[in-house]
Amino acid sequence: AIKKGKYPAPSMTREEVFECFAAGVDSLNFPTPSGKQRDISRLKWSTLLKCYKKAEASKREEWEEVIARKERIDPISSDMPHDSRWYKHSPKDKLFDRKRTPTTYKFPMLNLERMYLLWHCGDDDQQISAMKYFNKKDVAHVARGIASLSEVRKLMGNIDLEARKRGMEIKDGMTPSEAIACLRAGYPGLGIPPKTPDGRPRDILRMKWSSAANIKGTWKGSDVNEAEEISEAEKNEED
């Protein structure tokens, strides 16, 4: 409104209020998911606030991607092509200062299945190497990054250990399908109760990794395959 010459004041007439309002909302553009233009003047303030926050989050993500592209180093030829995505946080950084994450990186809080894929396969869309190669330096700039990496490493290590016991091969570089096969073989080793306290089947692979880390090892059931059988039944229903 101010940019258009309409200045809000401590005391305003009804007409002045409407003039400021019309001038202010005219610059807002929050289309519906189908692309139609919303009537901003008829939105509840709470809905308008949600639209604004969503638009701001989208702008922030675009800006973070711009920063990440600037920090990205050209792929480095090595014996580990699946661990060749690097970033320089400062133009003054030397080669040994490079990190596997950009300054805009946020530690992922995803479900167990998606986290396991990031752990072994990385994120092609975000140009991030497999997280199993991360060290403290790569996440030192991230809130709770070092602690979260330690927790995830233990969790994924438990899954990999059980998968190996069941005859699966945990390779340095894995395809998503190979990783999912290892995950399905190994997650029962986490010792997570296959049912919730109220008796409902628990979809362990869709639990957030942080929740899985909190309750792993709490189930001492006699049938170690029960959790796997429940998940396999759910998978068959989806298919």
Side-chain angles (χ1 to χ4, degrees):
I2 293 175
K3 288 180 179 179
K4 295 186 177 182
K6 300 297 181 181
Y7 295 89
S11 178
M12 301 171 67
T13 65
R14 185 182 181 87
E15 290 73 17
E16 289 172 334
V17 169
F18 278 116
E19 287 178 0
C20 283
F21 177 76
V25 300
D26 187 52
S27 62
L28 300 178
N29 181 26
F30 302 136
T32 64
S34 61
K36 294 181 180 179
Q37 182 58 44
R38 299 179 191 269
D39 185 350
I40 302 295
S41 63
R42 295 185 179 277
L43 287 180
K44 289 184 177 180
W45 71 265
S46 56
T47 304
L48 182 60
L49 182 60
K50 289 180 182 178
C51 291
Y52 177 78
K53 288 182 176 180
K54 186 175 181 180
E56 287 297 300
S58 179
K59 290 180 182 178
R60 185 166 58 252
E61 289 176 0
E62 291 177 2
W63 177 242
E64 289 176 349
E65 175 57 26
V66 170
I67 295 175
R69 284 200 300 268
K70 289 182 178 179
E71 296 176 347
R72 194 172 298 147
I73 304 174
D74 290 336
I76 298 172
S77 177
S78 69
D79 296 332
M80 301 177 68
H82 37 280
D83 183 26
S84 59
R85 293 161 174 169
W86 298 90
Y87 297 82
K88 290 177 68 175
H89 288 198
S90 168
K92 297 180 180 179
D93 284 353
K94 305 297 182 183
L95 186 61
F96 55 80
D97 293 321
R98 62 185 182 175
K99 298 175 178 62
R100 293 181 176 87
T101 59
T103 55
T104 55
Y105 183 76
K106 296 178 179 64
F107 204 92
M109 297 302 293
L110 304 174
N111 65 38
L112 200 57
E113 181 175 84
R114 293 178 64 190
M115 202 66 191
Y116 193 81
L117 286 171
L118 288 185
W119 187 255
H120 281 292
C121 304
D123 188 335
D124 289 337
D125 291 337
Q126 299 298 321
Q127 293 293 297
I128 301 294
S129 294
M131 292 182 69
K132 61 185 174 182
Y133 301 112
F134 282 19
N135 57 40
K136 293 180 179 180
K137 182 178 70 174
D138 297 317
V139 293
H141 63 289
V142 182
R144 287 202 80 252
I146 295 177
S148 294
L149 179 62
S150 177
E151 292 171 7
V152 170
R153 193 179 300 281
K154 291 176 183 177
L155 196 65
M156 301 303 155
N158 290 149
I159 295 174
D160 289 348
L161 179 61
E162 183 66 22
R164 287 191 178 96
K165 289 180 179 179
R166 296 177 179 232
M168 303 301 293
E169 180 184 4
I170 306 298
K171 298 187 291 187
D172 282 339
M174 290 202 287
T175 64
S177 59
E178 289 173 335
I180 290 298
C182 289
L183 173 62
R184 291 193 175 279
Y187 85 87
L190 292 175
I192 294 176
K195 294 182 180 179
T196 62
D198 58 4
R200 291 178 298 160
R202 174 179 273 126
D203 192 345
I204 296 175
L205 297 186
R206 282 176 170 73
M207 294 176 63
K208 282 194 174 182
W209 70 260
S210 54
S211 299
N214 287 334
I215 65 173
K216 74 180 181 71
T218 60
W219 186 52
K220 306 299 180 183
S222 57
D223 183 3
V224 75
N225 293 315
E226 184 176 353
E228 187 178 36
E229 290 171 357
I230 290 174
S231 179
E232 190 62 31
E234 291 173 347
K235 179 177 180 296
N236 292 335
E237 288 178 2
E238 292 175 358
D239 296 341

PDB file of all heavy atoms in Angstrom, residues 41-63:
ATOM      1  N   SER A  41      -9.433 -10.766  -1.343  1.00  0.00           N
ATOM      2  CA  SER A  41     -10.248  -9.980  -0.417  1.00  0.00           C
ATOM      3  C   SER A  41     -11.247 -10.825   0.354  1.00  0.00           C
ATOM      4  O   SER A  41     -11.762 -10.407   1.394  1.00  0.00           O
ATOM      5  CB  SER A  41     -10.994  -8.875  -1.172  1.00  0.00           C
ATOM      6  OG  SER A  41     -11.907  -9.441  -2.115  1.00  0.00           O
ATOM      7  N   ARG A  42     -11.523 -12.040  -0.138  1.00  0.00           N
ATOM      8  CA  ARG A  42     -12.512 -12.902   0.515  1.00  0.00           C
ATOM      9  C   ARG A  42     -11.877 -14.025   1.333  1.00  0.00           C
ATOM     10  O   ARG A  42     -12.591 -14.833   1.933  1.00  0.00           O
ATOM     11  CB  ARG A  42     -13.476 -13.499  -0.518  1.00  0.00           C
ATOM     12  CG  ARG A  42     -14.335 -12.448  -1.218  1.00  0.00           C
ATOM     13  CD  ARG A  42     -15.351 -13.077  -2.143  1.00  0.00           C
ATOM     14  NE  ARG A  42     -16.172 -12.069  -2.778  1.00  0.00           N
ATOM     15  CZ  ARG A  42     -17.252 -11.512  -2.208  1.00  0.00           C
ATOM     16  NH1 ARG A  42     -17.615 -11.890  -0.995  1.00  0.00           N
ATOM     17  NH2 ARG A  42     -17.938 -10.608  -2.853  1.00  0.00           N
ATOM     18  N   LEU A  43     -10.563 -14.075   1.336  1.00  0.00           N
ATOM     19  CA  LEU A  43      -9.888 -15.117   2.109  1.00  0.00           C
ATOM     20  C   LEU A  43      -9.905 -14.783   3.601  1.00  0.00           C
ATOM     21  O   LEU A  43      -9.789 -13.618   3.983  1.00  0.00           O
ATOM     22  CB  LEU A  43      -8.427 -15.258   1.662  1.00  0.00           C
ATOM     23  CG  LEU A  43      -8.146 -15.910   0.309  1.00  0.00           C
ATOM     24  CD1 LEU A  43      -6.646 -15.943   0.068  1.00  0.00           C
ATOM     25  CD2 LEU A  43      -8.714 -17.309   0.253  1.00  0.00           C
ATOM     26  N   LYS A  44     -10.012 -15.822   4.430  1.00  0.00           N
ATOM     27  CA  LYS A  44      -9.847 -15.610   5.866  1.00  0.00           C
ATOM     28  C   LYS A  44      -8.397 -15.236   6.121  1.00  0.00           C
ATOM     29  O   LYS A  44      -7.497 -15.660   5.393  1.00  0.00           O
ATOM     30  CB  LYS A  44     -10.203 -16.884   6.639  1.00  0.00           C
ATOM     31  CG  LYS A  44     -11.684 -17.214   6.647  1.00  0.00           C
ATOM     32  CD  LYS A  44     -11.947 -18.439   7.513  1.00  0.00           C
ATOM     33  CE  LYS A  44     -13.439 -18.754   7.590  1.00  0.00           C
ATOM     34  NZ  LYS A  44     -13.703 -19.946   8.435  1.00  0.00           N
ATOM     35  N   TRP A  45      -8.181 -14.465   7.192  1.00  0.00           N
ATOM     36  CA  TRP A  45      -6.809 -14.028   7.458  1.00  0.00           C
ATOM     37  C   TRP A  45      -5.884 -15.212   7.697  1.00  0.00           C
ATOM     38  O   TRP A  45      -4.700 -15.197   7.327  1.00  0.00           O
ATOM     39  CB  TRP A  45      -6.768 -13.065   8.652  1.00  0.00           C
ATOM     40  CG  TRP A  45      -7.040 -13.715   9.981  1.00  0.00           C
ATOM     41  CD1 TRP A  45      -8.228 -13.797  10.635  1.00  0.00           C
ATOM     42  CD2 TRP A  45      -6.081 -14.380  10.814  1.00  0.00           C
ATOM     43  NE1 TRP A  45      -8.104 -14.467  11.821  1.00  0.00           N
ATOM     44  CE2 TRP A  45      -6.785 -14.839  11.957  1.00  0.00           C
ATOM     45  CE3 TRP A  45      -4.726 -14.625  10.714  1.00  0.00           C
ATOM     46  CZ2 TRP A  45      -6.166 -15.528  12.994  1.00  0.00           C
ATOM     47  CZ3 TRP A  45      -4.105 -15.324  11.746  1.00  0.00           C
ATOM     48  CH2 TRP A  45      -4.819 -15.760  12.870  1.00  0.00           C
ATOM     49  N   SER A  46      -6.424 -16.274   8.309  1.00  0.00           N
ATOM     50  CA  SER A  46      -5.597 -17.450   8.596  1.00  0.00           C
ATOM     51  C   SER A  46      -5.182 -18.156   7.294  1.00  0.00           C
ATOM     52  O   SER A  46      -4.051 -18.638   7.165  1.00  0.00           O
ATOM     53  CB  SER A  46      -6.350 -18.423   9.505  1.00  0.00           C
ATOM     54  OG  SER A  46      -7.596 -18.790   8.926  1.00  0.00           O
ATOM     55  N   THR A  47      -6.124 -18.202   6.331  1.00  0.00           N
ATOM     56  CA  THR A  47      -5.812 -18.809   5.033  1.00  0.00           C
ATOM     57  C   THR A  47      -4.798 -17.962   4.273  1.00  0.00           C
ATOM     58  O   THR A  47      -3.866 -18.483   3.653  1.00  0.00           O
ATOM     59  CB  THR A  47      -7.087 -18.957   4.187  1.00  0.00           C
ATOM     60  OG1 THR A  47      -8.064 -19.723   4.917  1.00  0.00           O
ATOM     61  CG2 THR A  47      -6.791 -19.659   2.874  1.00  0.00           C
ATOM     62  N   LEU A  48      -4.966 -16.652   4.351  1.00  0.00           N
ATOM     63  CA  LEU A  48      -4.035 -15.742   3.690  1.00  0.00           C
ATOM     64  C   LEU A  48      -2.627 -15.890   4.269  1.00  0.00           C
ATOM     65  O   LEU A  48      -1.637 -15.874   3.547  1.00  0.00           O
ATOM     66  CB  LEU A  48      -4.521 -14.294   3.849  1.00  0.00           C
ATOM     67  CG  LEU A  48      -3.671 -13.210   3.175  1.00  0.00           C
ATOM     68  CD1 LEU A  48      -3.592 -13.452   1.673  1.00  0.00           C
ATOM     69  CD2 LEU A  48      -4.253 -11.834   3.460  1.00  0.00           C
ATOM     70  N   LEU A  49      -2.555 -16.063   5.596  1.00  0.00           N
ATOM     71  CA  LEU A  49      -1.263 -16.232   6.250  1.00  0.00           C
ATOM     72  C   LEU A  49      -0.590 -17.519   5.782  1.00  0.00           C
ATOM     73  O   LEU A  49       0.618 -17.548   5.535  1.00  0.00           O
ATOM     74  CB  LEU A  49      -1.447 -16.239   7.767  1.00  0.00           C
ATOM     75  CG  LEU A  49      -0.170 -16.367   8.606  1.00  0.00           C
ATOM     76  CD1 LEU A  49       0.766 -15.200   8.320  1.00  0.00           C
ATOM     77  CD2 LEU A  49      -0.504 -16.427  10.094  1.00  0.00           C
ATOM     78  N   LYS A  50      -1.365 -18.594   5.632  1.00  0.00           N
ATOM     79  CA  LYS A  50      -0.812 -19.862   5.154  1.00  0.00           C
ATOM     80  C   LYS A  50      -0.279 -19.713   3.734  1.00  0.00           C
ATOM     81  O   LYS A  50       0.797 -20.222   3.403  1.00  0.00           O
ATOM     82  CB  LYS A  50      -1.888 -20.951   5.202  1.00  0.00           C
ATOM     83  CG  LYS A  50      -2.264 -21.403   6.599  1.00  0.00           C
ATOM     84  CD  LYS A  50      -3.341 -22.474   6.543  1.00  0.00           C
ATOM     85  CE  LYS A  50      -3.753 -22.907   7.947  1.00  0.00           C
ATOM     86  NZ  LYS A  50      -4.833 -23.928   7.898  1.00  0.00           N
ATOM     87  N   CYS A  51      -1.049 -19.007   2.889  1.00  0.00           N
ATOM     88  CA  CYS A  51      -0.617 -18.791   1.506  1.00  0.00           C
ATOM     89  C   CYS A  51       0.675 -17.989   1.473  1.00  0.00           C
ATOM     90  O   CYS A  51       1.587 -18.274   0.687  1.00  0.00           O
ATOM     91  CB  CYS A  51      -1.701 -18.052   0.723  1.00  0.00           C
ATOM     92  SG  CYS A  51      -3.197 -19.014   0.407  1.00  0.00           S
ATOM     93  N   TYR A  52       0.752 -16.988   2.329  1.00  0.00           N
ATOM     94  CA  TYR A  52       1.944 -16.133   2.373  1.00  0.00           C
ATOM     95  C   TYR A  52       3.166 -16.941   2.810  1.00  0.00           C
ATOM     96  O   TYR A  52       4.244 -16.835   2.214  1.00  0.00           O
ATOM     97  CB  TYR A  52       1.703 -14.971   3.329  1.00  0.00           C
ATOM     98  CG  TYR A  52       2.897 -14.065   3.498  1.00  0.00           C
ATOM     99  CD1 TYR A  52       3.215 -13.123   2.528  1.00  0.00           C
ATOM    100  CD2 TYR A  52       3.714 -14.160   4.621  1.00  0.00           C
ATOM    101  CE1 TYR A  52       4.323 -12.306   2.670  1.00  0.00           C
ATOM    102  CE2 TYR A  52       4.824 -13.345   4.774  1.00  0.00           C
ATOM    103  CZ  TYR A  52       5.123 -12.420   3.793  1.00  0.00           C
ATOM    104  OH  TYR A  52       6.218 -11.616   3.942  1.00  0.00           O
ATOM    105  N   LYS A  53       2.991 -17.748   3.860  1.00  0.00           N
ATOM    106  CA  LYS A  53       4.111 -18.550   4.356  1.00  0.00           C
ATOM    107  C   LYS A  53       4.574 -19.557   3.308  1.00  0.00           C
ATOM    108  O   LYS A  53       5.773 -19.801   3.153  1.00  0.00           O
ATOM    109  CB  LYS A  53       3.704 -19.278   5.644  1.00  0.00           C
ATOM    110  CG  LYS A  53       3.574 -18.367   6.850  1.00  0.00           C
ATOM    111  CD  LYS A  53       3.229 -19.167   8.095  1.00  0.00           C
ATOM    112  CE  LYS A  53       3.192 -18.273   9.325  1.00  0.00           C
ATOM    113  NZ  LYS A  53       2.859 -19.039  10.556  1.00  0.00           N
ATOM    114  N   LYS A  54       3.606 -20.133   2.584  1.00  0.00           N
ATOM    115  CA  LYS A  54       3.956 -21.101   1.542  1.00  0.00           C
ATOM    116  C   LYS A  54       4.740 -20.426   0.423  1.00  0.00           C
ATOM    117  O   LYS A  54       5.728 -20.977  -0.081  1.00  0.00           O
ATOM    118  CB  LYS A  54       2.679 -21.733   0.982  1.00  0.00           C
ATOM    119  CG  LYS A  54       2.928 -22.849  -0.004  1.00  0.00           C
ATOM    120  CD  LYS A  54       1.623 -23.509  -0.429  1.00  0.00           C
ATOM    121  CE  LYS A  54       1.878 -24.641  -1.410  1.00  0.00           C
ATOM    122  NZ  LYS A  54       0.603 -25.300  -1.826  1.00  0.00           N
ATOM    123  N   ALA A  55       4.303 -19.215   0.039  1.00  0.00           N
ATOM    124  CA  ALA A  55       5.009 -18.476  -1.016  1.00  0.00           C
ATOM    125  C   ALA A  55       6.418 -18.099  -0.569  1.00  0.00           C
ATOM    126  O   ALA A  55       7.379 -18.185  -1.346  1.00  0.00           O
ATOM    127  CB  ALA A  55       4.211 -17.229  -1.387  1.00  0.00           C
ATOM    128  N   GLU A  56       6.540 -17.674   0.707  1.00  0.00           N
ATOM    129  CA  GLU A  56       7.858 -17.311   1.225  1.00  0.00           C
ATOM    130  C   GLU A  56       8.780 -18.524   1.281  1.00  0.00           C
ATOM    131  O   GLU A  56       9.971 -18.425   0.988  1.00  0.00           O
ATOM    132  CB  GLU A  56       7.707 -16.698   2.621  1.00  0.00           C
ATOM    133  CG  GLU A  56       7.125 -15.295   2.617  1.00  0.00           C
ATOM    134  CD  GLU A  56       8.027 -14.312   1.893  1.00  0.00           C
ATOM    135  OE1 GLU A  56       9.181 -14.138   2.317  1.00  0.00           O
ATOM    136  OE2 GLU A  56       7.575 -13.732   0.885  1.00  0.00           O
ATOM    137  N   ALA A  57       8.218 -19.674   1.652  1.00  0.00           N
ATOM    138  CA  ALA A  57       9.025 -20.899   1.710  1.00  0.00           C
ATOM    139  C   ALA A  57       9.515 -21.286   0.321  1.00  0.00           C
ATOM    140  O   ALA A  57      10.660 -21.727   0.147  1.00  0.00           O
ATOM    141  CB  ALA A  57       8.204 -22.034   2.315  1.00  0.00           C
ATOM    142  N   SER A  58       8.650 -21.091  -0.680  1.00  0.00           N
ATOM    143  CA  SER A  58       9.029 -21.412  -2.054  1.00  0.00           C
ATOM    144  C   SER A  58      10.158 -20.490  -2.528  1.00  0.00           C
ATOM    145  O   SER A  58      11.116 -20.949  -3.162  1.00  0.00           O
ATOM    146  CB  SER A  58       7.814 -21.263  -2.973  1.00  0.00           C
ATOM    147  OG  SER A  58       8.156 -21.536  -4.312  1.00  0.00           O
ATOM    148  N   LYS A  59      10.056 -19.200  -2.192  1.00  0.00           N
ATOM    149  CA  LYS A  59      11.116 -18.257  -2.568  1.00  0.00           C
ATOM    150  C   LYS A  59      12.427 -18.618  -1.883  1.00  0.00           C
ATOM    151  O   LYS A  59      13.497 -18.536  -2.476  1.00  0.00           O
ATOM    152  CB  LYS A  59      10.707 -16.835  -2.182  1.00  0.00           C
ATOM    153  CG  LYS A  59       9.573 -16.253  -3.015  1.00  0.00           C
ATOM    154  CD  LYS A  59       9.245 -14.848  -2.551  1.00  0.00           C
ATOM    155  CE  LYS A  59       8.086 -14.263  -3.340  1.00  0.00           C
ATOM    156  NZ  LYS A  59       7.722 -12.906  -2.847  1.00  0.00           N
ATOM    157  N   ARG A  60      12.319 -19.021  -0.603  1.00  0.00           N
ATOM    158  CA  ARG A  60      13.514 -19.377   0.155  1.00  0.00           C
ATOM    159  C   ARG A  60      14.190 -20.610  -0.460  1.00  0.00           C
ATOM    160  O   ARG A  60      15.417 -20.670  -0.560  1.00  0.00           O
ATOM    161  CB  ARG A  60      13.152 -19.631   1.616  1.00  0.00           C
ATOM    162  CG  ARG A  60      14.354 -19.904   2.506  1.00  0.00           C
ATOM    163  CD  ARG A  60      13.984 -19.807   3.976  1.00  0.00           C
ATOM    164  NE  ARG A  60      12.921 -20.715   4.343  1.00  0.00           N
ATOM    165  CZ  ARG A  60      11.671 -20.337   4.622  1.00  0.00           C
ATOM    166  NH1 ARG A  60      11.335 -19.065   4.581  1.00  0.00           N
ATOM    167  NH2 ARG A  60      10.747 -21.228   4.952  1.00  0.00           N
ATOM    168  N   GLU A  61      13.388 -21.594  -0.870  1.00  0.00           N
ATOM    169  CA  GLU A  61      13.942 -22.796  -1.485  1.00  0.00           C
ATOM    170  C   GLU A  61      14.646 -22.470  -2.798  1.00  0.00           C
ATOM    171  O   GLU A  61      15.713 -23.022  -3.095  1.00  0.00           O
ATOM    172  CB  GLU A  61      12.826 -23.811  -1.733  1.00  0.00           C
ATOM    173  CG  GLU A  61      12.283 -24.450  -0.456  1.00  0.00           C
ATOM    174  CD  GLU A  61      11.118 -25.366  -0.736  1.00  0.00           C
ATOM    175  OE1 GLU A  61      10.739 -25.494  -1.923  1.00  0.00           O
ATOM    176  OE2 GLU A  61      10.570 -25.943   0.224  1.00  0.00           O
ATOM    177  N   GLU A  62      14.052 -21.550  -3.576  1.00  0.00           N
ATOM    178  CA  GLU A  62      14.675 -21.151  -4.834  1.00  0.00           C
ATOM    179  C   GLU A  62      16.009 -20.453  -4.575  1.00  0.00           C
ATOM    180  O   GLU A  62      16.997 -20.689  -5.279  1.00  0.00           O
ATOM    181  CB  GLU A  62      13.739 -20.215  -5.604  1.00  0.00           C
ATOM    182  CG  GLU A  62      12.488 -20.899  -6.144  1.00  0.00           C
ATOM    183  CD  GLU A  62      11.554 -19.921  -6.826  1.00  0.00           C
ATOM    184  OE1 GLU A  62      11.903 -18.729  -6.916  1.00  0.00           O
ATOM    185  OE2 GLU A  62      10.468 -20.347  -7.273  1.00  0.00           O
ATOM    186  N   TRP A  63      16.037 -19.593  -3.559  1.00  0.00           N
ATOM    187  CA  TRP A  63      17.267 -18.877  -3.229  1.00  0.00           C
ATOM    188  C   TRP A  63      18.331 -19.834  -2.712  1.00  0.00           C
ATOM    189  O   TRP A  63      19.506 -19.710  -3.052  1.00  0.00           O
ATOM    190  CB  TRP A  63      16.964 -17.798  -2.200  1.00  0.00           C
ATOM    191  CG  TRP A  63      18.187 -17.044  -1.741  1.00  0.00           C
ATOM    192  CD1 TRP A  63      18.702 -16.968  -0.484  1.00  0.00           C
ATOM    193  CD2 TRP A  63      19.067 -16.257  -2.551  1.00  0.00           C
ATOM    194  NE1 TRP A  63      19.830 -16.200  -0.446  1.00  0.00           N
ATOM    195  CE2 TRP A  63      20.089 -15.750  -1.706  1.00  0.00           C
ATOM    196  CE3 TRP A  63      19.102 -15.940  -3.903  1.00  0.00           C
ATOM    197  CZ2 TRP A  63      21.116 -14.944  -2.183  1.00  0.00           C
ATOM    198  CZ3 TRP A  63      20.140 -15.139  -4.378  1.00  0.00           C
ATOM    199  CH2 TRP A  63      21.122 -14.642  -3.518  1.00  0.00           C
TER     200      TRP A  63
END
